Amino acid sequence: MADATGFHLKGSAPERYEHYVAPLMAPFVTALVDAGDLYPGATVLDLACGTGFAARAAAAQVGPTGRVAGTDIDEARLEVAVDRHPRLYPDIEFTAAPADDLPYPDATFDVVLCQQGAQFFPDLDAALREAARVLRPGGRFAATVWSDLEASPYFAAQHRAVRRYCGPDTAADFQEAFHAADRLATAMDGAGLRRPTRHDLTFTITLPPLQDYVPGHLSAIPWGRTLTETGGEEALTRAADTVRAALPADTTAFPFTATLVTAHR
């Protein structure tokens, strides 16, 4: 079913993730990779890489003498990552693996990056111990997590729609993803990662026209897929209408806030 804009689901959920999430991730990926202090020849792991946003950016930094790997538990997203990564840089090695059981020897990487994944790890402590294990002595860990839901009006509007159409349990899971910075800092300390730093990043991001962007973005993320599975595209359209109604009608530029943390092995 399509709404008045003509929107209807196209491609797989991972393909839609690559397309619709990219505008939100772009400035945060740049900040994350910059925080990793990459250099030509470095070895880098993109942990919970999704469709490979950070892995591609890292490959451009480390050049042909470097090595980049990406892991994610979602094999369908990895298929998109393999398909989309450029061949001008080192061949990125994408591998399906959970964050708490990485398929690499000790001290393999100079840098471990994690872009908006840590808040979803079932066992954050175990995942950070694994990140520390595969880092070389002196290696660098850098991660971002969304923070301060009310400081990100677009996400706050999504939360209202999730609460209305998916129920309180899903809404609570949604909100919990925006309170991960403290848990991440504690897990880093428990994993033996040293010299931690933490600061908030806020970028104003201009999104594509919202009539098509909002339902497309919802369809690519877990709570939106829950809507589609239970109520079809009609439910997705209703939720998208709720999101748009909660946002100013005269702009598509909204602030988004994330917390960037770094530490050393």
Side-chain angles (χ1 to χ4, degrees):
M1 178 179 293
D3 65 11
T5 69
F7 175 83
H8 59 88
L9 294 176
K10 298 178 181 177
S12 66
E15 288 169 337
R16 294 194 299 274
Y17 183 91
E18 169 72 19
H19 177 74
Y20 289 104
V21 177
L24 295 181
M25 291 293 194
F28 295 101
V29 168
T30 298
L32 177 70
V33 172
D34 287 347
D37 288 341
L38 305 186
Y39 51 89
T43 56
V44 182
L45 172 64
D46 182 6
L47 181 63
C49 65
T51 57
F53 297 131
R56 294 194 294 265
Q61 294 285 334
V62 304
T65 60
R67 175 194 173 198
V68 177
T71 61
D72 200 280
I73 199 169
D74 188 332
E75 295 189 34
R77 286 189 182 181
L78 290 178
E79 290 176 2
V80 175
V82 170
D83 182 62
R84 298 297 175 89
H85 86 270
R87 300 307 195 270
L88 298 176
Y89 309 125
D91 192 31
I92 304 170
E93 302 168 3
F94 290 108
T95 304
D100 57 4
D101 188 16
L102 297 174
Y104 307 108
D106 295 355
T108 297
F109 298 101
D110 300 308
V111 180
V112 173
L113 304 174
C114 186
Q115 168 70 10
Q116 299 299 345
Q119 59 265 52
F120 302 113
F121 293 157
D123 189 337
L124 180 59
D125 292 328
L128 268 290
R129 288 195 296 269
E130 276 291 89
R133 180 185 66 79
V134 301
L135 271 173
R136 292 174 178 157
R140 190 169 179 85
F141 174 81
T144 56
V145 291
W146 295 122
S147 59
D148 196 355
L149 178 61
E150 294 306 318
S152 300
Y154 177 82
F155 285 143
Q158 270 196 356
H159 181 242
R160 295 186 189 98
V162 168
R163 185 171 58 236
R164 178 173 178 180
Y165 294 104
C166 296
D169 290 343
T170 303
D173 290 343
F174 183 110
Q175 191 166 21
E176 181 63 23
F178 290 81
H179 295 282
D182 289 339
R183 292 189 290 112
L184 182 56
T186 300
M188 288 195 308
D189 183 64
L193 293 167
R194 303 174 296 107
R195 290 181 287 160
T197 68
R198 169 180 170 175
H199 66 276
D200 288 340
L201 304 170
T202 298
F203 295 105
T204 296
I205 299 172
T206 300
L207 300 176
L210 298 184
Q211 286 188 327
D212 286 337
Y213 179 79
V214 174
H217 180 242
L218 278 173
S219 75
I221 55 181
W223 30 88
R225 294 202 300 272
T226 298
L227 278 170
T228 306
E229 290 166 1
T230 58
E233 291 186 41
E234 183 176 355
L236 185 72
T237 297
R238 289 198 302 269
D241 288 344
T242 298
V243 172
R244 291 200 302 271
L247 295 170
D250 59 348
T251 185
T252 64
F254 306 105
F256 292 83
T257 298
T259 298
L260 170 68
V261 299
T262 65
H264 290 80
R265 178 72 170 91

